[in-house]
Amino acid sequence: MTNGRAGAAAEPPRRTDARLNRERLVAAAREVFAEAGPGASLNEIARRAGVGPGTLYRHFPDRSALLSAVLADRIERLGARAERLLVSEDADEALEQWLRAFLAHARVNQGMGSALLVEPAGESGPDCHRRILDMATGLLDRAQLHGSARADLTADDLLHLVIGIALSTTQDDRPGRPEFLLDLVLDAVHGSPRRKG
């Protein structure tokens, strides 16, 4: 007797190859866009993924579709980070770690992520912003309940502050500048200096 469940779970080889190609393309695009910005060469992305340009265009008909896929992938990673931090012991530290991850997210691709969050683009824009706002809300609520985060602060306030840092430091080559500004925000969140030295 054949196991119907096992048969249903088996993925056809062609579909498996297509899924793997898509994953490789998104991973390569994430790297190339981070290095060269959202106008980076699509041929270079295909080359790094180990596929031809035709394969890239079968999965992503234009640059916008590929950028959206990369953004969705990065948001998934941010969400996974938030879920892990929500069960960590120190609520204040969890919020700080996630805000640092969010700052890196917003600064990547020469400000593409932060620009999309300020002015949501396409059908996925509002959904992406809502998901990030939900992550920030969960971590801030927990810090306000169990940590030292000030009670009059909202998650939307925090996101706007961090996005402002990302936008204002995109062309700033001073080492540690974004992190210094985020430390100032964290001082305000907790009402006391957190910088060392």
Side-chain angles (χ1 to χ4, degrees):
M1 182 175 177
T2 304
N3 187 327
R5 181 176 297 177
E11 197 173 13
R14 185 173 298 178
R15 189 174 299 169
T16 300
D17 289 344
R19 177 176 53 79
L20 292 174
N21 282 341
R22 188 184 192 284
E23 289 173 359
R24 283 194 287 265
L25 283 163
V26 171
R30 191 170 61 239
E31 293 177 0
V32 175
F33 286 146
E35 293 168 6
S41 165
L42 298 185
N43 286 337
E44 173 61 14
I45 291 169
R47 186 191 69 77
R48 286 206 202 176
V51 302
T55 299
L56 184 150
Y57 285 107
R58 276 196 297 276
H59 288 280
F60 305 103
D62 54 33
R63 181 180 301 275
S64 177
L66 184 54
L67 286 168
S68 293
V70 170
L71 180 60
D73 176 70
R74 287 167 44 216
I75 289 173
E76 285 297 323
R77 291 166 180 266
L78 259 184
R81 182 79 178 270
E83 287 178 7
R84 291 193 299 271
L85 288 169
L86 277 168
V87 297
S88 63
E89 186 173 334
D90 189 324
D92 286 340
E93 181 68 20
L95 177 62
E96 178 176 342
Q97 284 189 29
W98 188 83
L99 287 174
R100 293 191 187 284
F102 176 63
L103 175 60
H105 162 87
R107 294 190 78 239
V108 114
N109 296 334
Q110 300 181 9
M112 180 194 76
S114 54
L116 286 172
L117 287 168
V118 172
E119 297 291 343
E123 294 180 1
S124 64
D127 180 60
C128 291
H129 181 73
R130 168 51 56 188
R131 292 182 63 193
I132 288 177
L133 183 60
D134 288 346
M135 296 174 208
T137 298
L139 288 158
L140 177 60
D141 285 352
R142 184 167 173 260
Q144 287 170 328
L145 184 63
H146 300 290
S148 65
R150 53 191 295 170
D152 61 346
L153 189 65
T154 70
D156 195 54
D157 294 334
L158 270 181
L159 292 185
H160 276 86
L161 288 166
V162 177
I163 289 168
I165 293 171
L167 288 170
S168 66
T169 58
T170 298
Q171 304 299 328
D172 193 330
D173 58 2
R174 286 176 288 180
R177 183 67 175 170
E179 293 76 15
F180 171 76
L181 294 175
L182 182 59
D183 282 343
L184 294 179
V185 169
L186 290 166
D187 287 353
V189 169
H190 299 283
S192 61
R194 296 173 64 81
R195 295 182 303 282
K196 306 294 189 292

